[in-house]
Every structure is written in structure tokens, then in C-alpha cells.
Amino acid sequence: MPHNAQDWETLDKRFLWHPFTQMQEWQRQPQLVIDSGNGVWLKDINGRRYLDGVSSLWVTVHGHRYPPLDRALTAQLHKIAHSTFLGASHVPAIQLAEELLRWTPKGLRRIFYSDNGSTAVEVALKMAYQYWQLRATNGAARATPRTQFLTLENAYHGDTIGAVSVGGIELFQERFRHLLFPTRSVFSPYCYRCRYRTKAVQRTRTPREAPPAPGRPGMYRPETGCRWECLGAVERIFKKHRHRLAAAVIEPVVQAASGMIVMPPGYVAGFAALCRRYGVLLIADEVATGFGRTGRMFACDYERATPDFLCVAKSLTGGYLPLAATITTETVYRTFLGRYDEFKTFFHGHTYTANPLACAVAVENLRLYRRRRVLGQLEEKIQALREALSVLRERPHVGDIRQAGLMVGIELVKDRATCEPYPLAAQVGIRVCAACRPRGLLLRPLGNVIVLLPPFAITAPQLRWMVRIVGTAIQQVTGTK
Ligand SMILES: *Cc1c(COP(=O)(O)O)cnc(C)c1O
């Protein structure tokens, strides 16, 4: 066994393959080996401290080694670490269902557990697909079952093949094009790079007008220059293909992985209303936005949207253990009921479905949201972050700053006037984050977008400190004042 820090890094480089990582570069550069954490801080095996600026990839809520969560985990460990959910149940999973349903949008009543965000989405896709088959055989719908999905450009729903199929990020899809099932894709409401953008919109950034009422797409308001073409395009597809569409999949309010693209207010409500009107099931992927990340418990809450499927994962356990859930309606659930030999069963499940340790931590996590008023305490921090960020807005290479709650994307551009992006190969995002590291801040970018997504446990002064460091790093890398 190795004795010093250098040895661990050497062994990592000899044996391991990291996710979303060009390993040739990993091999060449010094790497971080984390040893422990406390609150918002991480410590590496050399004893150096870093603020966890991306919540260990968007999961940590109350901080690392949070005593109530530690206690919940230990208590469950004294009972049992794992028992199967196939053919048996256990108390933590039942308690968690009760806690979850206190928070979920009205109408969602049935919980199907899995292990991560990708599987939560896979489950929703397969349920929606089978739902229409069962409806067709029940004689309640048209004889031909619906088999297609409507997806958004710039969407990210995970890395398993079904989840990649409904994604919209070319870089992640192109290699696997022939393995993926086809979808009907519509452009996303990415206001900063809206293809219908005019000079006026460029100035206002987000459209101020209300979205068109369903059935009246494309109202043109010259004062903002925004036609809400993005919703009009959804409606055009629904009009033409509603009888083929099993479901529409959306990351409500923030398309996270493509660069924290914040949708204009009203878009999600308009999208949900269109789904309702045209009878297309709505799958809301709140894997990133769920559990207060945007300031509300779920992003859907902002727009009073009730999806037919809600997918949650990342912060469900407060960032402790992998666990996910797909939450659906009684209508969908009942469609799957029947005699055994009708084989309407949902044939899907994972070995570690509803792992009791993960469920026990998740129960305590959600109880803390109630008892400690986690969301109420966020508002002040969200405001402090907004104020701190305003200083960066006019910097030369800062194209757009997008914020929803404690979720921020700073899009760096080569040319502010034309919005010309830096080429990905220039690795501007990677270099800015690398420049933050010796200053004690750990970040991970999304291309040219610097992501700030701190644990909720962060304080206002720590938020300001974090933004100052990012500002300095951007200055250093882009060579500007
Ligand atoms: C992270 C993410 C996923 C995938 O979750 P994994 O746990 O990494 O499989 C799916 N959807 C969204 C919106 C995400 O942010």
C-alpha cells in the first residue's frame, strides 16, 4: 500500500478511467485526490482545503458530514444495509414515499425508485411508452400506440442509451447516432442565442411579454422582438404528430448540463399547457433542478406545472448516496394493473432499487427541509449571489450570466458584441476553473460556461469570496481587466 499522496495519484493514473475525462490529459497533469470533507469544504490528501463550488457535481445540500444525515445513515446501518425491493418492502422506502409526496406537484402519487438520474429518465420513457400500448389494447385510445418522444435541443437527461436518445447535445450523441432511437426535436428557449433574436432582444436578454396562450402561437411583439417562436414550434409539432407522441421531455426552468440555460418566465407553463391541450404526456426531468436548487422545491412549482412524470435524483439524499425516483400519476399507474397473465407488468428494476441506506438518508434530508426551513433560508443567499455576480456582468469576455436560485452559469465569449463563442479546443472554461484551484475553489465547467452551484450550507460572505475568485480567474485566463 502506498504511503504518501504522490503514490495514490500514481496508482490512480495506472488503474483508473474517469467519467467525461480525456485520460491522456489527466495523465499529464497533477490531479486532486480528496480525503475528507466538512460543511462546504473538501480536503485533499495533502491537507489542502477547497470550497466545493459545484456541490460534488450538483448533489450536496446541507454540506459534507452533516451530523443529522450522518446519524440517519448510521442508525440504518445498525439495522440493515440492503435488502431487495423485488418481492419485499422496507420501512425507509415507505417513509421516503410519504415525505416525497408532501412536496411533489399535485396529481403525482406513485413512486418508482431507481439509482440515478439516467435510470429515473429511462423509467419514465419506458412507462410512457408502455402506457400508450396498454391504452391501445384496452381499447381506450387509437389502435396504434404512440411511440415517439418530443425533445428539446440542448437537453441533457443522462448517459444511458435511452436518456442519450432524448438528449440534445450533439457532442454526446454523435458517436452513438446509430444506436439511438429517433425523436422529434424542437429548439430550446436559449434567449442569449435565440435564432429569432433581434437587436432589441439582445438588450433585454429575456422576453418580458407573457407566453402565447395555447392555440395562439407566434404573437409578434416588436418592442421585445421575441415571437415566442420556441412555444409556437412545439405547438406545430403537436398539431401534426400528437397521435404519434407518447411524451414530451423537458428539464423545467434550467437546461443544466448544456450550460445552465435559464428559460424565460412562462415557457414551462406554456409548454405544460400545450401538453395538456394536445394530450401528450409530460416528463419533467428535475434531476438537477429538484430539491430547492432553483429556490423552489421543484422548478415546476414556479410555473404551477404538473407533469405526468417527475424524475428526481441528484440532491434526493442531500448528496450522500445514489438514489432516484420517477413519480407519476394514479392514471398512469392504474393503466398497468391487470391479471398476472395479461402481462401488463412494468418489467423494469435494478438490483439496488430503493437501497435502505440511501432511503434512510433521503428521509432525514427531506425532514430537514421541513424542520429547518431550508428553502426559506436560501432567499438571502440567492440575493447575495445575484448582487456579487452583477460586478462581473460588464466584463469584456462575459457574454451572459444566468442564475436560477443557487444555480449559475457564466458564459464566456470571444467577442461580446457578436456573442462569438470561444472554440471548445481553447479550453477556456477548463483553464478558468484550473486558475481557481490554487486559490482554494474547486469548480467544474461546462464547455465555455463557468458553473457555480454551491451547497446550500454556504454563507453570503463565502458566496462573495467565490465570485471574487472567479472574477480574478476569468481576468487571468482571458487576459483582460
Ligand atoms: C445529471 C442529470 C441526469 C443524469 O443523472 P445521473 O445520476 O448522472 O445519471 C439526468 N438529467 C439531468 C437534468 C441531469 O442534470
Side-chain angles (χ1 to χ4, degrees), residues 20 57-58 115-121 156-160 163 250-251 254-257 285-289 311 313-314 323-324 407:
F20 279 98
L57 224 6
W58 320 353
D115 312 328
N116 58 68
S118 309
T119 54
V121 171
Y156 177 80
H157 299 291
D159 296 327
T160 53
I250 187 175
E251 291 163 86
V254 187
Q255 292 192 298
D285 177 356
E286 294 231 25
V287 170
T289 52
C311 304
K314 286 191 169 98
L323 181 68
M407 211 174 183

Side-chain angles (χ1 to χ4, degrees), residues 449-470:
V449 176
I450 309 302
V451 174
L452 305 180
L453 219 131
F456 297 0
I458 198 167
T459 63
Q462 284 169 337
L463 282 167
R464 288 190 279 271
W465 175 83
M466 188 170 84
V467 172
R468 265 201 312 279
I469 288 181
V470 170

Side-chain angles (χ1 to χ4, degrees), residues 342-462:
E342 288 177 87
F343 300 112
K344 291 182 179 178
T345 307
F346 186 52
F347 289 108
H348 185 111
H350 300 280
T351 314
Y352 279 98
T353 291
N355 171 257
L357 290 175
C359 286
V361 179
V363 169
E364 184 59 24
N365 178 40
L366 293 184
R367 283 187 182 153
L368 290 165
Y369 275 77
R370 276 196 290 132
R371 294 185 187 148
R372 304 266 168 100
R373 290 191 52 253
V374 169
L375 298 185
Q377 290 172 20
L378 269 187
E379 276 158 38
E380 200 189 312
K381 298 175 187 183
I382 293 168
Q383 192 52 32
L385 182 55
R386 179 164 294 121
E387 277 161 26
L389 285 166
S390 65
V391 179
L392 299 184
R393 265 182 209 283
E394 301 309 317
R395 293 280 180 86
H397 291 279
V398 173
D400 195 21
I401 299 184
R402 301 181 282 268
Q403 180 186 3
L406 286 188
M407 211 174 183
V408 171
I410 304 170
E411 181 166 342
L412 301 176
V413 289
K414 196 165 167 199
D415 186 335
R416 239 179 136 224
T418 61
C419 307
E420 185 191 342
Y422 280 110
L424 265 189
Q427 301 194 337
V428 171
I430 293 175
R431 280 157 54 211
V432 168
C433 294
C436 292
R437 198 175 283 195
R439 297 178 165 93
L441 174 62
L442 193 62
L443 295 179
R444 182 169 171 89
L446 293 162
N448 294 327
V449 176
I450 309 302
V451 174
L452 305 180
L453 219 131
F456 297 0
I458 198 167
T459 63
Q462 284 169 337

